[in-house]
């Protein structure tokens, strides 16, 4: 099982991305909705501490402004195809900085939406050929953060954290992390499974990607 904090935007542009996902990676699309990850399990040394920080921060955090950009790829599509996500006013980066303060170990992973994951589809190069040059240029506002758990064939929302309605930036972690307990999960999704006999592994953070211009991407590991 893998647990993340993520946001799952909606709207016409996301509907288009979901059509791409269903066409090029139907296994992944059936299990996991299009989302932008905020924290990965590889970064989370203490999940209880992460959730205490999320409790304290997210209710005072304004909606995230994200801009969907160009189609990007790793290793010519063999390492995955993604939509780049631009952090309009730094809210996504602010959240990561506060949530993943010590003792967490943040990775150098850019914001993105996954279209094709190499573990669930071998059609990344074909997808990249079809989508090369595509740029969405759509700004979205996200008003809720999910704490999720992903297995080989299920995706479950363990908890929803509504964001604030005002504007501004993430407030500093002024108080110590002691003495604040994580609440009981408040909602879950129904499990979603792929085709019979086919399982999708939990999504993993991709290497840093570059625009699909034909030049090889730069790995980060």
């Amino acid at each position: 099982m893998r647990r993340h904090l993520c946001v799952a935007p909606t709207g016409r542009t996301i509907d288009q991305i979901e059509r791409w996902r269903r066409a090029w990676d139907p296994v992944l699309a059936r299990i996991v909705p299009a989302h932008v990850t905020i924290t990965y399990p590889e970064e989370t040394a203490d999940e209880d501490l992460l959730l205490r920080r999320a409790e304290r921060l997210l209710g005072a955090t304004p909606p995230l402004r994200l801009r969907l950009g160009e189609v990007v790829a790793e290793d010519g599509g063999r390492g995955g195809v993604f939509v780049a996500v631009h952090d309009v006013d730094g809210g996504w980066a602010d959240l990561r900085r506060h949530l993943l303060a010590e003792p967490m170990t943040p990775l150098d992973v850019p914001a993105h939406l996954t279209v094709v994951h190499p573990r669930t589809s071998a059609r990344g190069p074909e997808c990249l050929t079809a989508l090369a040059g595509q740029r969405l240029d759509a700004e979205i506002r996200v008003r809720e953060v999910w704490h999720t758990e992903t297995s080989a064939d299920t995706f479950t929302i363990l908890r929803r954290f509504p964001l604030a309605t005002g504007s501004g930036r993430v407030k500093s972690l002024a108080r110590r992390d002691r003495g604040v307990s994580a609440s009981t999960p408040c909602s879950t999704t129904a499990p979603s499974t792929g085709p019979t006999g086919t399982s999708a592994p939990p999504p993993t953070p991709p290497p840093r990607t570059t625009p699909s211009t034909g030049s090889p991407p730069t790995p980060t590991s």
Side-chain angles (χ1 to χ4, degrees):
M1 298 285 186
R2 292 171 54 81
R3 293 184 175 181
H4 302 72
L5 289 178
C6 67
V7 296
T10 58
R12 291 182 183 177
T13 306
I14 299 300
D15 291 343
Q16 177 179 341
I17 294 172
E18 290 287 18
R19 287 192 292 272
W20 291 348
R21 298 172 85 240
R22 288 192 296 270
W24 301 106
D25 194 341
V27 173
L28 184 66
R30 284 191 180 96
I31 298 169
V32 182
H35 63 278
V36 181
T37 298
I38 298 174
T39 66
Y40 293 92
E42 291 84 358
E43 303 175 301
T44 306
D46 185 335
E47 186 178 38
D48 288 339
L49 175 58
L50 178 72
L51 293 176
R52 291 198 299 269
R53 289 175 175 176
E55 280 187 320
R56 187 176 319 138
L57 284 171
L58 295 177
T61 299
L64 300 181
R65 295 177 60 204
L66 304 173
R67 176 168 287 277
L68 304 177
E70 64 275 19
V71 173
V72 297
E74 174 68 20
D75 191 22
R78 288 178 291 276
V81 179
F82 316 94
V83 173
V85 175
H86 304 282
D87 188 12
V88 175
D89 57 8
W92 179 84
D94 276 352
L95 276 182
R96 281 182 55 79
R97 182 168 61 254
H98 288 296
L99 291 168
L100 296 174
E102 292 184 351
M104 310 303 181
T105 54
L107 303 171
D108 183 19
V109 182
H112 64 276
L113 281 164
T114 302
V115 178
V116 175
H117 195 290
R119 293 184 182 176
T120 47
S121 175
R123 300 185 69 193
E126 190 180 351
C127 173
L128 180 61
T129 298
L131 301 182
Q134 292 271 8
R135 186 179 182 91
L136 297 174
D137 283 327
E139 183 174 320
I140 54 177
R141 289 190 179 235
V142 180
R143 303 181 186 278
E144 186 176 63
V145 172
W146 292 352
H147 181 220
T148 65
E149 183 176 83
T150 309
S151 70
D153 55 8
T154 64
F155 176 86
T156 303
I157 303 172
L158 299 176
R159 186 170 178 188
R160 300 174 187 264
F161 293 92
L163 300 181
T165 56
S167 60
R169 300 292 287 274
V170 178
K171 293 184 178 180
S172 176
L173 283 169
R175 299 184 340 191
R176 291 184 178 272
D177 294 306
R178 296 195 300 266
V180 182
S181 61
S183 299
T184 303
C186 64
S187 62
T188 59
T189 58
S192 173
T193 57
T196 303
T198 306
S199 63
T204 55
R208 181 171 294 277
T209 55
T210 55
S212 54
T213 57
S215 58
T218 302
T220 57
S221 56

Short mmCIF file of all heavy atoms in Angstrom, two decimals, residues 38-73:
data_model
loop_
_atom_site.label_atom_id
_atom_site.label_comp_id
_atom_site.label_asym_id
_atom_site.label_seq_id
_atom_site.Cartn_x
_atom_site.Cartn_y
_atom_site.Cartn_z
N ILE A 38 1.18 15.86 -3.89
CA ILE A 38 1.86 16.84 -3.04
C ILE A 38 2.98 16.17 -2.26
O ILE A 38 4.09 16.69 -2.20
CB ILE A 38 0.86 17.53 -2.09
CG1 ILE A 38 -0.18 18.30 -2.90
CG2 ILE A 38 1.59 18.48 -1.13
CD1 ILE A 38 -1.30 18.89 -2.07
N THR A 39 2.69 15.02 -1.65
CA THR A 39 3.75 14.28 -0.94
C THR A 39 3.70 12.81 -1.33
O THR A 39 2.63 12.24 -1.50
CB THR A 39 3.60 14.39 0.59
OG1 THR A 39 2.40 13.74 1.03
CG2 THR A 39 3.59 15.85 1.05
N TYR A 40 4.87 12.21 -1.46
CA TYR A 40 5.02 10.80 -1.80
C TYR A 40 5.44 10.00 -0.58
O TYR A 40 6.09 10.54 0.33
CB TYR A 40 6.10 10.64 -2.88
CG TYR A 40 5.74 11.22 -4.21
CD1 TYR A 40 6.10 12.54 -4.53
CD2 TYR A 40 5.03 10.50 -5.16
CE1 TYR A 40 5.76 13.10 -5.75
CE2 TYR A 40 4.69 11.03 -6.39
CZ TYR A 40 5.06 12.34 -6.68
OH TYR A 40 4.74 12.88 -7.89
N PRO A 41 5.11 8.70 -0.54
CA PRO A 41 5.51 7.89 0.62
C PRO A 41 7.02 7.81 0.79
O PRO A 41 7.52 7.68 1.91
CB PRO A 41 4.89 6.52 0.32
CG PRO A 41 4.53 6.53 -1.13
CD PRO A 41 4.27 7.95 -1.49
N GLU A 42 7.77 7.89 -0.31
CA GLU A 42 9.23 7.86 -0.21
C GLU A 42 9.78 9.06 0.56
O GLU A 42 10.91 9.02 1.06
CB GLU A 42 9.87 7.84 -1.61
CG GLU A 42 9.65 6.57 -2.38
CD GLU A 42 8.32 6.53 -3.12
OE1 GLU A 42 7.53 7.49 -3.00
OE2 GLU A 42 8.07 5.54 -3.82
N GLU A 43 8.99 10.12 0.64
CA GLU A 43 9.43 11.34 1.31
C GLU A 43 9.00 11.39 2.78
O GLU A 43 9.47 12.23 3.55
CB GLU A 43 8.83 12.56 0.61
CG GLU A 43 9.17 12.65 -0.86
CD GLU A 43 8.45 13.80 -1.55
OE1 GLU A 43 7.20 13.82 -1.53
OE2 GLU A 43 9.14 14.68 -2.09
N THR A 44 8.08 10.51 3.15
CA THR A 44 7.38 10.62 4.42
C THR A 44 8.01 9.71 5.46
O THR A 44 7.70 8.51 5.53
CB THR A 44 5.89 10.28 4.24
OG1 THR A 44 5.35 11.10 3.21
CG2 THR A 44 5.12 10.53 5.52
N ALA A 45 8.86 10.27 6.29
CA ALA A 45 9.51 9.49 7.34
C ALA A 45 8.55 9.20 8.50
O ALA A 45 8.72 8.22 9.21
CB ALA A 45 10.73 10.24 7.87
N ASP A 46 7.54 10.04 8.68
CA ASP A 46 6.62 9.91 9.82
C ASP A 46 5.23 10.34 9.34
O ASP A 46 4.93 11.53 9.24
CB ASP A 46 7.10 10.80 10.97
CG ASP A 46 6.27 10.65 12.24
OD1 ASP A 46 5.09 10.26 12.14
OD2 ASP A 46 6.80 10.94 13.33
N GLU A 47 4.37 9.37 9.01
CA GLU A 47 3.06 9.70 8.46
C GLU A 47 2.17 10.41 9.48
O GLU A 47 1.41 11.31 9.12
CB GLU A 47 2.36 8.44 7.94
CG GLU A 47 1.06 8.75 7.23
CD GLU A 47 0.39 7.52 6.66
OE1 GLU A 47 0.44 6.46 7.33
OE2 GLU A 47 -0.17 7.60 5.56
N ASP A 48 2.25 10.03 10.76
CA ASP A 48 1.45 10.70 11.78
C ASP A 48 1.82 12.19 11.86
O ASP A 48 0.94 13.06 11.96
CB ASP A 48 1.64 10.04 13.14
CG ASP A 48 0.97 8.68 13.23
OD1 ASP A 48 0.05 8.42 12.42
OD2 ASP A 48 1.36 7.87 14.10
N LEU A 49 3.09 12.47 11.82
CA LEU A 49 3.55 13.86 11.84
C LEU A 49 3.08 14.60 10.59
O LEU A 49 2.63 15.75 10.66
CB LEU A 49 5.08 13.91 11.94
CG LEU A 49 5.74 15.29 11.84
CD1 LEU A 49 5.21 16.23 12.92
CD2 LEU A 49 7.26 15.15 11.93
N LEU A 50 3.16 13.94 9.45
CA LEU A 50 2.67 14.55 8.21
C LEU A 50 1.21 14.94 8.33
O LEU A 50 0.80 16.05 7.95
CB LEU A 50 2.87 13.59 7.04
CG LEU A 50 2.36 14.08 5.68
CD1 LEU A 50 3.26 15.18 5.13
CD2 LEU A 50 2.25 12.94 4.68
N LEU A 51 0.39 14.05 8.87
CA LEU A 51 -1.04 14.33 9.00
C LEU A 51 -1.32 15.42 10.04
O LEU A 51 -2.26 16.21 9.88
CB LEU A 51 -1.79 13.05 9.33
CG LEU A 51 -1.80 11.99 8.22
CD1 LEU A 51 -2.50 10.73 8.69
CD2 LEU A 51 -2.45 12.53 6.95
N ARG A 52 -0.53 15.47 11.10
CA ARG A 52 -0.70 16.56 12.06
C ARG A 52 -0.40 17.91 11.40
O ARG A 52 -1.10 18.89 11.60
CB ARG A 52 0.21 16.35 13.29
CG ARG A 52 -0.20 15.19 14.17
CD ARG A 52 0.43 15.28 15.54
NE ARG A 52 1.89 15.26 15.53
CZ ARG A 52 2.63 14.16 15.63
NH1 ARG A 52 2.03 12.98 15.71
NH2 ARG A 52 3.94 14.24 15.65
N ARG A 53 0.64 17.93 10.59
CA ARG A 53 0.96 19.16 9.87
C ARG A 53 -0.15 19.51 8.88
O ARG A 53 -0.52 20.68 8.73
CB ARG A 53 2.30 19.00 9.13
CG ARG A 53 3.50 18.96 10.05
CD ARG A 53 4.78 18.67 9.29
NE ARG A 53 5.95 18.76 10.16
CZ ARG A 53 7.19 18.48 9.79
NH1 ARG A 53 7.44 18.07 8.54
NH2 ARG A 53 8.19 18.59 10.64
N ALA A 54 -0.67 18.50 8.20
CA ALA A 54 -1.75 18.75 7.25
C ALA A 54 -2.97 19.31 7.97
O ALA A 54 -3.61 20.26 7.48
CB ALA A 54 -2.11 17.46 6.51
N GLU A 55 -3.32 18.75 9.12
CA GLU A 55 -4.46 19.26 9.90
C GLU A 55 -4.29 20.75 10.20
O GLU A 55 -5.22 21.54 10.12
CB GLU A 55 -4.56 18.50 11.22
CG GLU A 55 -5.23 17.15 11.14
CD GLU A 55 -5.43 16.58 12.54
OE1 GLU A 55 -4.53 16.74 13.38
OE2 GLU A 55 -6.50 15.99 12.77
N ARG A 56 -3.09 21.12 10.60
CA ARG A 56 -2.83 22.48 11.03
C ARG A 56 -2.77 23.46 9.86
O ARG A 56 -3.25 24.59 9.97
CB ARG A 56 -1.50 22.52 11.79
CG ARG A 56 -1.18 23.85 12.43
CD ARG A 56 0.09 23.77 13.24
NE ARG A 56 0.11 22.51 13.97
CZ ARG A 56 1.21 21.76 14.07
NH1 ARG A 56 2.32 22.11 13.49
NH2 ARG A 56 1.15 20.63 14.74
N LEU A 57 -2.21 23.01 8.75
CA LEU A 57 -1.95 23.93 7.65
C LEU A 57 -3.10 24.08 6.66
O LEU A 57 -3.40 25.19 6.21
CB LEU A 57 -0.72 23.45 6.87
CG LEU A 57 0.65 23.69 7.49
CD1 LEU A 57 1.70 22.94 6.69
CD2 LEU A 57 0.96 25.17 7.52
N LEU A 58 -3.72 22.97 6.29
CA LEU A 58 -4.56 22.99 5.10
C LEU A 58 -5.82 23.82 5.27
O LEU A 58 -6.27 24.48 4.32
CB LEU A 58 -4.88 21.56 4.67
CG LEU A 58 -3.65 20.77 4.22
CD1 LEU A 58 -4.03 19.33 3.88
CD2 LEU A 58 -2.96 21.43 3.04
N GLY A 59 -6.40 23.84 6.45
CA GLY A 59 -7.59 24.64 6.66
C GLY A 59 -7.34 26.12 6.55
O GLY A 59 -8.28 26.91 6.35
N ALA A 60 -6.07 26.55 6.69
CA ALA A 60 -5.71 27.96 6.57
C ALA A 60 -5.00 28.26 5.25
O ALA A 60 -4.50 29.35 5.04
CB ALA A 60 -4.80 28.35 7.74
N THR A 61 -4.97 27.28 4.35
CA THR A 61 -4.30 27.43 3.07
C THR A 61 -5.31 27.76 1.98
O THR A 61 -6.31 27.07 1.84
CB THR A 61 -3.57 26.12 2.70
OG1 THR A 61 -2.58 25.84 3.69
CG2 THR A 61 -2.91 26.23 1.34
N PRO A 62 -5.09 28.82 1.20
CA PRO A 62 -6.04 29.16 0.14
C PRO A 62 -6.01 28.12 -0.97
O PRO A 62 -5.08 27.33 -1.08
CB PRO A 62 -5.52 30.52 -0.35
CG PRO A 62 -4.07 30.51 -0.02
CD PRO A 62 -3.94 29.74 1.27
N PRO A 63 -7.03 28.12 -1.83
CA PRO A 63 -7.04 27.19 -2.96
C PRO A 63 -5.76 27.30 -3.79
O PRO A 63 -5.22 28.40 -3.98
CB PRO A 63 -8.27 27.63 -3.77
CG PRO A 63 -9.17 28.24 -2.74
CD PRO A 63 -8.26 28.94 -1.77
N LEU A 64 -5.29 26.17 -4.26
CA LEU A 64 -4.07 26.15 -5.08
C LEU A 64 -4.39 26.57 -6.50
O LEU A 64 -5.38 26.12 -7.09
CB LEU A 64 -3.47 24.75 -5.08
CG LEU A 64 -3.06 24.16 -3.72
CD1 LEU A 64 -2.45 22.78 -3.93
CD2 LEU A 64 -2.09 25.08 -3.00
N ARG A 65 -3.56 27.42 -7.05
CA ARG A 65 -3.68 27.83 -8.45
C ARG A 65 -2.62 27.07 -9.26
O ARG A 65 -1.42 27.26 -9.07
CB ARG A 65 -3.48 29.33 -8.60
CG ARG A 65 -4.54 30.18 -7.93
CD ARG A 65 -4.23 31.65 -8.08
NE ARG A 65 -4.15 32.04 -9.49
CZ ARG A 65 -3.46 33.10 -9.92
NH1 ARG A 65 -2.77 33.85 -9.08
NH2 ARG A 65 -3.46 33.39 -11.21
N LEU A 66 -3.08 26.21 -10.13
CA LEU A 66 -2.20 25.40 -10.96
C LEU A 66 -2.53 25.63 -12.42
O LEU A 66 -3.69 25.75 -12.78
CB LEU A 66 -2.36 23.92 -10.61
CG LEU A 66 -2.14 23.54 -9.14
CD1 LEU A 66 -2.49 22.07 -8.91
CD2 LEU A 66 -0.72 23.83 -8.70
N ARG A 67 -1.49 25.67 -13.25
CA ARG A 67 -1.71 25.83 -14.69
C ARG A 67 -1.22 24.59 -15.41
O ARG A 67 -0.06 24.20 -15.28
CB ARG A 67 -0.99 27.07 -15.24
CG ARG A 67 -1.13 27.22 -16.76
CD ARG A 67 -0.67 28.57 -17.25
NE ARG A 67 -1.63 29.59 -16.88
CZ ARG A 67 -2.73 29.88 -17.58
NH1 ARG A 67 -3.03 29.18 -18.68
NH2 ARG A 67 -3.53 30.84 -17.19
N LEU A 68 -2.12 23.95 -16.15
CA LEU A 68 -1.76 22.78 -16.93
C LEU A 68 -1.04 23.25 -18.19
O LEU A 68 -1.52 24.13 -18.89
CB LEU A 68 -3.01 21.99 -17.29
CG LEU A 68 -3.87 21.55 -16.10
CD1 LEU A 68 -5.13 20.85 -16.59
CD2 LEU A 68 -3.09 20.68 -15.15
N GLY A 69 0.11 22.65 -18.45
CA GLY A 69 0.94 23.12 -19.55
C GLY A 69 1.14 22.09 -20.64
O GLY A 69 0.21 21.46 -21.13
N GLU A 70 2.41 21.88 -20.97
CA GLU A 70 2.78 21.08 -22.12
C GLU A 70 2.82 19.59 -21.79
O GLU A 70 2.94 19.19 -20.63
CB GLU A 70 4.15 21.52 -22.64
CG GLU A 70 5.30 21.29 -21.68
CD GLU A 70 5.50 22.41 -20.66
OE1 GLU A 70 4.56 23.21 -20.43
OE2 GLU A 70 6.59 22.47 -20.07
N VAL A 71 2.68 18.78 -22.82
CA VAL A 71 2.90 17.34 -22.68
C VAL A 71 4.40 17.10 -22.62
O VAL A 71 5.15 17.60 -23.46
CB VAL A 71 2.27 16.55 -23.85
CG1 VAL A 71 2.66 15.08 -23.78
CG2 VAL A 71 0.75 16.71 -23.84
N VAL A 72 4.83 16.37 -21.61
CA VAL A 72 6.25 16.08 -21.43
C VAL A 72 6.42 14.58 -21.31
O VAL A 72 5.45 13.84 -21.13
CB VAL A 72 6.81 16.79 -20.17
CG1 VAL A 72 6.72 18.30 -20.30
CG2 VAL A 72 6.07 16.33 -18.92
N ALA A 73 7.66 14.12 -21.43
CA ALA A 73 7.90 12.68 -21.42
C ALA A 73 9.27 12.38 -20.86
O ALA A 73 10.17 13.22 -20.88
CB ALA A 73 7.76 12.10 -22.82
#
